[in-house]
Amino acid sequence: MDRIESLERLRNEEFDICIIGAGASGAGCALDAVLRGYKVALIDRKDFASETSSRSTKLIHGGVRYLEQAFKKLDFAQLKQVRHGLEERHIVLKNAPHLARPLALMTPVNSWFEGLYFKIGLQMYDAFAINDTLPKSKWLNKTEVLAKIPTLDRKKLHSGVLYYDGQLDDARYCLALVQSASEKGAAVANYLDVHGFGKNGDGKLNEVTVTDTQSSNQFSIRSKMIINCTGPFSDKIRQLANQQLTERIRPSKGVHLVLPAETLNSEYAMLIPKTSDGRVVFAIPFEGATMIGTTDTDVDDMSTEASLNEREKHYLADTLNPYLAQKIDISQLKAGFGGLRPLLSADPLQSTKNLVRDHEVEVDSVSGLVSLLGGKWTTYRLMAKDTIDQADAIFFQTNACTTDQHMLAGGEHYNTEFWKELVEKFDFDEDISKHLVKKYGSRAGLVGELTSAEPALKERLVAKYPYIKAEVVYTVRNEMVITPRDFLARRTRLEITDWQETLNCLPVVTDLMARELEWDAEQKGMQAASYEMEIRTFISNAG
């Protein structure tokens, strides 16, 4: 992906569809639309997946909690959401095997009755997962549970119910969607902030006015249709197109706490079925750490980034502690992150935790703006399909959706043993080779080739992680990395797993980026200082 080339196209060409927002839903729409033959532009005011789509719990699932509520409340909307999620789960796993994989989750229980309750519930969950190859749930005895998660409190534990969902690297999965759309002909660019629209004589949108935040240059993108995929910020775009539209989105904040891997000391995740506010919480192994989340609180101010605070830190630790033999040492906090859910609600008084994560495609009859509202990561492809089906109807077209069969960038000819070839060819350590294959898939060798030409790029960014210097160079040249945070938060996931090591390797990353992007000393210093301030703010907020 070449940003300069994309900007040139966006300035000078007319598109059939311009999509605002390059998170999961926007990137999914771009890929679907370009595969149907449309000329597509995809833009975002920040980096790809920089908001909600990089801050999920990293699960591909139908939603165990939704299933429970569906039967308790006879809520068929919840049941439909579970069915859609489980139908899409196997497609998400299949289409990017390097970025998504099955994940075993344990639900520890304290009594025979609890075990029976969750076993029946999870058997029903299995039953909804048709055309699926994941193992079915099992009720395990105490000894079997402790063999899989040895840090649990054996005194309280009665047994556990094991079931399977999927796990993904959300930011890189979204990037793979963007790359795939780009390689099929879409013009894609990050850091383009929308601040207005042009309209034709009938009052329909036909231009998007943007500012390139990296250069401050303004220009307009001509397009026959505009699709709004900005998640929790959807109302801002809707009302920019038509001031008479009422708000539809109830943003909800969810945060995650990140602790050392030894907290669970397991490859198995945990579903914590009982919390003080009636939600479920997950404790999940991710990137060499244990991630605990998530919360659900109303958001009034979206002008500042959602982040972990001290109260939320203690709430999440206190939720997991009753299940552990050794209580969490909160001073071992490695990182934390927050995100906003784009929940749809007609009732401003309804609790966000009771809202269904469903989606809706809205067409504004006045401006012609198409908005994809609501939804969740697992169903991104279905959401995109519904949106581009609507675009087909507006354009009087009948094109087939083929995204269920489209292998994403890096997934082509993917081989789980490919890492061994990298060890042999480039003399990488085993952990580095495995990391590269999990992030770049069949394209990992392209990162390796950089080290052949420049052996110094083989060096690790920090000693305890498998990230290497070549990745900085590769992602700047091929994945439209513009800022150090693009690399450290989304191309790799170091920011959300280890704040201190992020700060430690920041000088190395900015040096390499400065070389690639031709920053002068002042620009390099500003980039490093700005990002360091952000990380230190997160640390301060967490207490």
Side-chain angles (χ1 to χ4, degrees), residues 90 131-135:
H90 76 281
N131 300 322
D132 199 284
T133 58
L134 293 185

Side-chain angles (χ1 to χ4, degrees), residues 449-490:
E449 295 294 347
L450 294 174
T451 69
S452 296
E454 189 176 349
L457 295 179
K458 193 183 293 186
E459 296 172 8
R460 295 174 187 254
L461 294 174
V462 287
K464 63 188 289 188
Y465 288 99
Y467 314 127
I468 60 174
K469 291 180 177 180
E471 294 179 80
V472 182
V473 175
Y474 178 83
T475 56
V476 169
R477 293 179 184 177
N478 298 283
E479 297 182 353
M480 218 174 280
V481 163
I482 303 297
T483 72
R485 193 176 190 191
D486 297 343
F487 178 77
L488 288 164
R490 290 174 287 275

